[in-house]
Amino acid sequence: MEIRNFLCRVFGKLGITKNHWPTFLLEYANMQLYKQKQGYTFDINNPVLFTEKIQWQKTRFNRPDLVRYVDKYLFKELIKEKLGEGYTIPMYGAWTSVESFRKEWDSLPEKFCLKSTLQSNGIYIKVIEKSKTDIDNLCQELKEWLKPKNLLIHSFCSAYYKAVPRILAEEYMESIKDQLFDYKFFCFNGNPYCMYAATEQFQDNRYPVSFYDLNWNQLDVQYGNHRTEFIPKPPHFEEMKEIATKLSQGFPFIRVDFFDTPDKLYMAELTFYPGGGLTKYYPVEFNKLFGDMFELKRK
């Protein structure tokens, strides 16, 4: 343990991002983080609860195509292949450097949204009036988006390790209450089991997260310290269920996320590691239920 602690400190001090760490060190450091967040440790070779199995999946579930599912840029082409045109928010451009983004600034519309392809929690910037935007200040912030230490390649989630960081410019979209609701389906072995709806995600750290079954009955589940409140069923709920079933085929577990508007739905993202498996579910029986459905794909 002392050697692993020492190596973690050395790798951290040298600024080596986690996509270059050996697996044994990744698992050790990740288990330390899990213990800090969840209050206990477990045998990584025999996880039981859902949050425990997410830790296993971070480093031991590896497929060459996983990066296409989690990279917000590559994801767009993947969805086009699987579902056809029009299921992702229209994109104005994607750039791997701030300099190349700045060169195309004049070609962008007056109103759009900027996103990082490799940051968690959906970090984005709304550009409501481009003509009044300080491009110098904006570019300073975007530079932080592209630094490896700020990206998911520096997380314990291995699906991101081969991804290329980019800045995305997308059409600005909103729905009810000047925002898009997030609808996130938990799917096991190609079958959606339940989902949650989230709102106000960038206004409050305790934004509402409410779980529902596939008939839109609210479940008595709390996610971390988030508030729960009833959110109306989205207009394209049935189509969401069909798409979630299609996209989750072949995976022991994947979460399939949507945005919905009165006119149509859009794919938001796909993830194998919701909350990094570090957020608690109340009651704990729900964590156990998810764990029982999550059949690890061992070699």
Side-chain angles (χ1 to χ4, degrees), residues 2 9 68 123:
E2 291 77 8
R9 290 196 299 270
R68 299 189 68 208
I123 293 176

Side-chain angles (χ1 to χ4, degrees), residues 72 114-117 119-125 141 145 150 202:
K72 292 180 178 65
L114 291 172
K115 293 181 180 179
S116 164
T117 58
Q119 285 184 313
S120 61
N121 299 323
I123 293 176
Y124 74 103
I125 296 174
E141 183 168 353
W145 285 13
N150 296 331
F202 305 101

Side-chain angles (χ1 to χ4, degrees), residues 68-111:
R68 299 189 68 208
Y69 286 79
V70 299
D71 180 308
K72 292 180 178 65
Y73 174 74
L74 300 179
F75 157 86
K76 289 180 179 291
E77 188 62 30
L78 175 81
I79 296 302
K80 180 180 176 181
E81 291 175 10
K82 292 184 175 292
L83 303 180
E85 296 275 5
Y87 283 94
T88 60
I89 295 176
M91 180 178 68
Y92 297 122
W95 304 271
T96 57
S97 73
V98 173
E99 292 73 21
S100 57
F101 162 75
R102 187 160 187 158
K103 287 178 182 178
E104 297 190 40
W105 175 253
D106 291 340
S107 68
L108 293 169
E110 182 70 5
K111 189 175 183 179

Side-chain angles (χ1 to χ4, degrees), residues 56-67:
W56 186 96
Q57 179 144 287
K58 285 180 181 179
T59 55
R60 300 196 182 186
F61 179 54
N62 296 299
R63 270 179 28 179
D65 64 337
L66 293 186
V67 66

Side-chain angles (χ1 to χ4, degrees), residues 14-211:
L14 292 175
I16 300 172
T17 51
K18 292 185 174 66
N19 59 326
H20 295 300
W21 287 29
T23 301
F24 83 92
L25 201 59
L26 281 171
E27 289 192 345
Y28 169 75
N30 184 51
M31 291 294 285
Q32 296 302 303
L33 178 62
Y34 186 87
K35 183 178 181 180
Q36 175 187 336
K37 296 291 186 179
Q38 296 280 5
Y40 73 98
T41 190
F42 64 93
D43 179 4
I44 189 64
N45 295 305
N46 296 289
V48 175
L49 301 180
F50 176 67
T51 52
E52 296 172 0
K53 290 185 176 181
I54 291 295
Q55 310 316 309
W56 186 96
Q57 179 144 287
K58 285 180 181 179
T59 55
R60 300 196 182 186
F61 179 54
N62 296 299
R63 270 179 28 179
D65 64 337
L66 293 186
V67 66
R68 299 189 68 208
Y69 286 79
V70 299
D71 180 308
K72 292 180 178 65
Y73 174 74
L74 300 179
F75 157 86
K76 289 180 179 291
E77 188 62 30
L78 175 81
I79 296 302
K80 180 180 176 181
E81 291 175 10
K82 292 184 175 292
L83 303 180
E85 296 275 5
Y87 283 94
T88 60
I89 295 176
M91 180 178 68
Y92 297 122
W95 304 271
T96 57
S97 73
V98 173
E99 292 73 21
S100 57
F101 162 75
R102 187 160 187 158
K103 287 178 182 178
E104 297 190 40
W105 175 253
D106 291 340
S107 68
L108 293 169
E110 182 70 5
K111 189 175 183 179
F112 58 94
C113 187
L114 291 172
K115 293 181 180 179
S116 164
T117 58
L118 289 177
Q119 285 184 313
S120 61
N121 299 323
I123 293 176
Y124 74 103
I125 296 174
K126 295 179 183 178
V127 178
I128 306 299
E129 295 179 281
K130 186 183 76 170
S131 57
K132 296 181 181 180
T133 299
D134 187 324
I135 182 64
D136 293 322
N137 287 340
L138 176 61
C139 286
Q140 285 301 314
E141 183 168 353
L142 295 181
K143 285 180 181 178
E144 295 298 314
W145 285 13
L146 298 177
K147 291 181 178 179
K149 67 181 181 65
N150 296 331
L151 302 173
L152 286 166
I153 61 173
H154 192 45
S155 72
F156 296 105
C157 304
S158 60
Y160 297 94
Y161 287 174
K162 295 181 180 178
V164 175
R166 292 179 174 90
I167 302 162
L168 285 185
E170 294 181 337
E171 182 179 329
Y172 179 83
M173 306 192 76
E174 59 191 21
S175 184
I176 306 167
K177 299 180 182 177
D178 298 327
Q179 64 175 299
L180 287 174
F181 286 76
D182 249 340
Y183 303 95
K184 303 174 183 287
F185 285 74
F186 289 70
C187 305
F188 301 88
N189 294 316
N191 298 301
Y193 174 73
C194 70
M195 51 79 63
Y196 77 67
T199 183
E200 302 174 13
Q201 294 186 68
F202 305 101
Q203 303 172 32
D204 182 352
N205 289 333
R206 294 189 64 248
Y207 59 85
V209 170
S210 301
F211 278 82

Side-chain angles (χ1 to χ4, degrees), residues 185 192 213-216 233-246 258 260 265:
F185 285 74
D213 66 18
L214 298 185
N215 294 311
W216 205 256
K233 183 168 70 172
H236 299 95
F237 185 55
E238 296 304 317
E239 186 179 0
M240 288 181 186
K241 290 190 286 186
E242 293 175 5
I243 292 174
T245 300
K246 184 172 184 177
F258 301 88
D260 206 5
L265 64 79

